[in-house]
Amino acid sequence: LQVVLVVAALAVDAVALTAMLTRIAEFGFSANKVAALGLNLVLLVHLAWSAWLSVGFLRGARTFGPVERWQTRYLPAYAVWAVIVVVVFPPVFAFA
């Protein structure tokens, strides 16, 4: 069930990324669009590797430990993106 949910989340994320890229191509960049795009890319990597490790667990090739370690060790990636949005975006997008 977990693998099915992760794959479904991957499909939804791919649709969202496609929509974001289309909007950026049509209307140009903005801080909100870039922040959402970056977060969805971070999420895409997280979900894709979680799915890969979960499928390995289902096949019996590995224990569930690598899945747990990946999910907990990847959490700082979200924090790094948040710091980038808070610290880098204001000067780049000329916020007063």
Side-chain angles (χ1 to χ4, degrees):
L1 183 59
Q2 182 178 357
V3 173
V4 171
L5 290 173
V6 170
V7 170
L10 270 168
V12 170
D13 192 47
V15 170
L17 280 170
T18 303
M20 282 182 215
L21 289 172
T22 303
R23 286 186 60 88
I24 289 173
E26 189 173 342
F27 299 113
F29 289 97
S30 73
N32 287 341
K33 291 176 195 170
V34 174
L37 179 65
L39 181 59
N40 274 290
L41 289 173
V42 170
L43 181 63
L44 180 71
V45 171
H46 189 182
L47 290 171
W49 196 249
S50 292
W52 177 259
L53 291 174
S54 296
V55 168
F57 170 72
L58 287 179
R59 286 191 346 241
R62 63 177 62 91
T63 64
F64 198 70
V67 178
E68 292 173 332
R69 278 191 299 278
W70 164 253
Q71 291 179 349
T72 54
R73 289 184 182 163
Y74 195 76
L75 284 175
Y78 292 98
V80 168
W81 182 246
V83 168
I84 290 170
V85 169
V86 169
V87 174
V88 175
F89 276 36
V92 168
F93 288 97
F95 295 164

